[in-house]
Amino acid sequence: MAKTLTLVLMDPPYEKETTTTGFRIIESALRQGHNVKVFAYEGAVNLTMKDQQPHPNPVKGTTVEQEQHPTTKDWVAALFRMGSGSPKLEWINCGLCVDERGAGNWIEGPRRGGPKELAEWVQATEATLVIPTK
Amino acid sequence: MGKYVLIESRDPFDSADCKNFRDLASGLAKGGNEVAFFLTQNGVLPARRGCAAEGSLAELGRSVSVLADEFALRERGIDADALVEGVRPASIDALIALIMEDGRKALWH
């Protein structure tokens, strides 16, 4: 039976393995038919920033294509493609955290919100997992 | 009684408070709760046989179900047959099944 997971992410992109683990959790939950609601706050609001670009490696002399550098916004976009119908992925970027970081230009999918929506999600969903930063 | 899944992402040689998290798991189990302890990221490192921290993890495994993330094990070159007795490899899908189980609370460390 489909249930809904509220997942709270805090870490910024390209810093910690928790980002990868968080994405694996979202992917697995969607693949198993569960809806997922992600509340991104603090540095995690940068995960969906639209202006992220892959880069070459000038030290090794490799090109962008050779590096195949993954960006978190592309991973999130892929998760949104998985969760575009049923099961569904929803994503809120904390508005206060977005404004602090000037991170308001994001990919299609996420919306702006705040602690009120998080509290409502936690009360309404079957499971909640908070992955705080260390 | 309650049901819990505790997710340990840290290496005890990096984070001394890992002991508190293991104590929480064993305390919950002693209180009659059903506890699963899921190791991921660097949390799988003490699951290697021969690691100085293996004793406390093996002891925990006698009272709660201890699982180790297959992906994290593979990333770190730890074979399933090198795991401490009482620790079983498990997929991320198994973790989701636990998290989504009716009435089970999930805690991350």
Side-chain angles (χ1 to χ4, degrees):
Chain A
M1 190 185 87
K3 298 179 183 174
T4 302
L5 168 67
T6 296
L7 180 65
V8 184
L9 299 177
M10 187 178 185
D11 283 313
Y14 315 119
E15 293 285 345
K16 290 178 66 184
E17 193 177 352
T18 50
T19 301
T20 306
T21 307
F23 290 164
R24 291 174 61 219
I25 287 170
I26 297 168
E27 188 272 340
S28 174
L30 290 171
R31 185 163 36 75
Q32 294 185 58
H34 300 301
N35 304 305
V36 181
K37 296 175 182 286
V38 176
F39 186 86
Y41 75 118
E42 300 293 358
V45 299
N46 290 308
L47 291 168
T48 53
M49 282 184 73
K50 196 174 187 175
D51 295 330
Q52 293 180 28
Q53 292 294 327
H55 57 72
N57 188 326
V59 176
K60 293 193 290 183
T62 49
T63 65
V64 172
E65 292 74 22
Q66 289 168 325
E67 279 295 303
Q68 296 184 329
H69 183 92
T71 60
T72 57
K73 59 127 180 176
D74 286 341
W75 281 352
V76 175
L79 293 170
F80 266 106
R81 286 193 291 276
M82 280 185 76
S84 61
S86 179
K88 187 173 181 56
L89 171 64
E90 292 180 72
W91 186 297
I92 283 179
N93 282 327
C94 168
L96 298 175
C97 310
V98 165
D99 292 343
E100 284 176 332
R101 291 161 178 78
N105 184 28
W106 56 64
I107 60 170
E108 190 176 338
R111 60 187 169 91
R112 183 186 175 96
K116 176 177 177 292
E117 284 87 354
L118 173 59
E120 290 169 352
W121 279 1
V122 169
Q123 288 179 335
T125 57
E126 286 86 358
T128 298
L129 176 62
V130 179
I131 304 182
T133 196
K134 190 173 179 181
Chain B
M1 290 300 166
K3 291 190 286 186
Y4 297 86
V5 53
L6 275 62
I7 306 164
E8 177 58 274
S9 67
R10 301 183 191 175
D11 173 10
F13 296 104
D14 172 63
S15 301
D17 56 354
C18 287
K19 180 184 181 304
N20 300 339
F21 204 54
R22 289 195 300 269
D23 289 347
L24 174 62
S26 59
L28 286 167
K30 279 177 190 162
N33 298 287
E34 187 182 322
V35 182
F37 199 78
F38 190 91
L39 307 168
T40 189
Q41 301 181 184
N42 282 342
V44 302
L45 291 175
R48 285 170 301 145
R49 257 200 322 270
C51 171
E54 72 169 278
S56 61
L57 204 55
E59 185 182 339
L60 181 65
R62 285 191 275 277
S63 59
V64 310
S65 170
V66 182
L67 306 168
D69 183 355
E70 290 170 342
F71 180 91
L73 291 170
R74 205 162 53 242
E75 281 185 317
R76 289 159 181 80
I78 302 172
D79 291 331
D81 58 8
L83 293 177
V84 173
E85 192 178 336
V87 179
R88 291 181 291 120
S91 67
I92 195 79
D93 290 355
L95 173 62
I96 296 301
L98 284 165
I99 291 172
M100 302 309 292
E101 199 178 311
D102 286 342
R104 190 180 289 273
K105 291 181 172 59
L107 295 173
W108 178 280
H109 179 251

